[in-house]
Amino acid sequence: MANDGTSFTRRKPVRLFAAAVAIGAVSASVGIIAPAAYGDQGYPSWDDVQKAKASEATKQAEIEKITALLTGLQAAADASSKASQIAAEAYRVAQDELDAATLRETSLTEQAATASKKADTSKMRAGLIAAHLAKTGAQDLSLNLFLNGSSADVLLEQLGTASKLSEQSETIYREAVQDKNSAESLGGQAAAATVERTRLTGESMTKFDAASGAAQAAEAALEAEQQKSNDLYGQLALLKDTTADTERSYQAGVDAAAAAAALAAAQSAAAAKAAADQAASAARAA
């Protein structure tokens, strides 16, 4: 089945999963968040960090500032990654819908072609019967029966045959009409399926472009986060007289603890809801 010159196969957006591993929930609107230019964010220079070590107060303030910048960088990268996942899922759903519509279009078109051939055959059969009845009509046979009494048996047999042909022609005519209506109905459904497939093709291509752009933005955000965080962790280590690896490990531990606490809270809330639902169900049953 030709797709109006638009053969759109399932494609994976460019570097779609470079910054995103899992596919997230579907969303109609996709917001891409990427870190702005470093200078616009007030990132400290190494000279600023060296000066901040002059006093404990300025050092602590600089530590807090750098920690907040690191948190913001991570949040921006995470948000862009999530937006990329949403765009990828939206594209997948659109492509699945397109595949289903294409299959339906192909099936209906084939059914319509088969029904059209059947209708043509029924029409031809009805025409042949009609022509035969016109050639050997009942009136001619009655006249021959009156004029040729000696061959009455033969003529009566012909008359009976004509009657049967008439009944058969009526049946064939009804079938021809039904076949014609069926062919027209299937043809209309196939045309509608083509329109829907064309619409979904355009929608899928739009979602593909959005997913590709989101993936590239997410990768750029992740790369920016990784590059700038190297400097920030180094500066943080300088202020705290540790190492960048130590600060990264500490932050990873903080993040892991926060994630574990969030998971525990979610599980507790789910358990409480399940208990409440069970109690309500038991109350209704009682």
Side-chain angles (χ1 to χ4, degrees), residues 81-224:
S81 178
K82 182 178 180 180
S84 176
Q85 295 167 15
I86 291 172
E89 177 68 1
Y91 165 69
R92 185 193 67 77
V93 171
Q95 188 61 39
D96 286 345
E97 291 176 350
L98 174 59
D99 291 345
T102 301
L103 182 63
R104 173 175 169 77
E105 176 193 17
T106 301
S107 176
L108 284 172
T109 300
E110 291 175 351
Q111 292 179 54
T114 300
S116 180
K117 290 180 180 179
K118 183 179 179 182
D120 289 342
T121 300
S122 297
K123 181 180 178 181
M124 180 185 67
R125 291 177 61 203
L128 290 174
I129 294 293
H132 185 77
L133 287 174
K135 184 177 180 181
T136 57
Q139 284 188 342
D140 292 339
L141 289 173
S142 298
L143 180 60
N144 286 334
L145 179 62
F146 176 75
L147 296 176
N148 301 289
S150 59
S151 57
D153 291 341
V154 176
L155 291 172
L156 284 172
E157 183 179 350
Q158 291 177 355
L159 183 59
T161 301
S163 176
K164 291 178 182 179
L165 285 173
S166 179
E167 294 174 1
Q168 184 181 8
S169 68
E170 183 178 353
T171 300
I172 292 176
Y173 173 75
R174 285 198 303 268
E175 291 177 353
V177 172
Q178 291 174 357
D179 291 342
K180 174 178 175 294
N181 292 338
S182 177
E184 290 178 349
S185 176
L186 286 169
Q189 293 179 52
T194 298
V195 172
E196 177 66 3
R197 191 266 309 153
T198 301
R199 182 187 71 80
L200 289 173
T201 295
E203 181 177 318
S204 184
M205 293 178 69
T206 299
K207 295 290 178 64
F208 171 82
D209 292 339
S212 295
Q216 292 174 16
E219 187 172 357
L222 180 64
E223 186 175 334

Side-chain angles (χ1 to χ4, degrees), residues 38-59:
Y38 298 142
D40 298 338
Q41 297 276 355
Y43 287 90
S45 66
W46 284 96
D47 187 54
D48 294 332
V49 174
Q50 288 285 1
K51 291 178 180 178
K53 294 188 70 175
S55 71
E56 190 65 28
T58 55
K59 182 173 73 171

Side-chain angles (χ1 to χ4, degrees), residues 62-82:
E62 197 68 16
I63 288 174
E64 292 175 359
K65 178 181 177 180
I66 291 175
T67 302
L69 287 171
L70 283 166
T71 302
L73 273 173
Q74 185 62 53
D78 291 345
S80 291
S81 178
K82 182 178 180 180

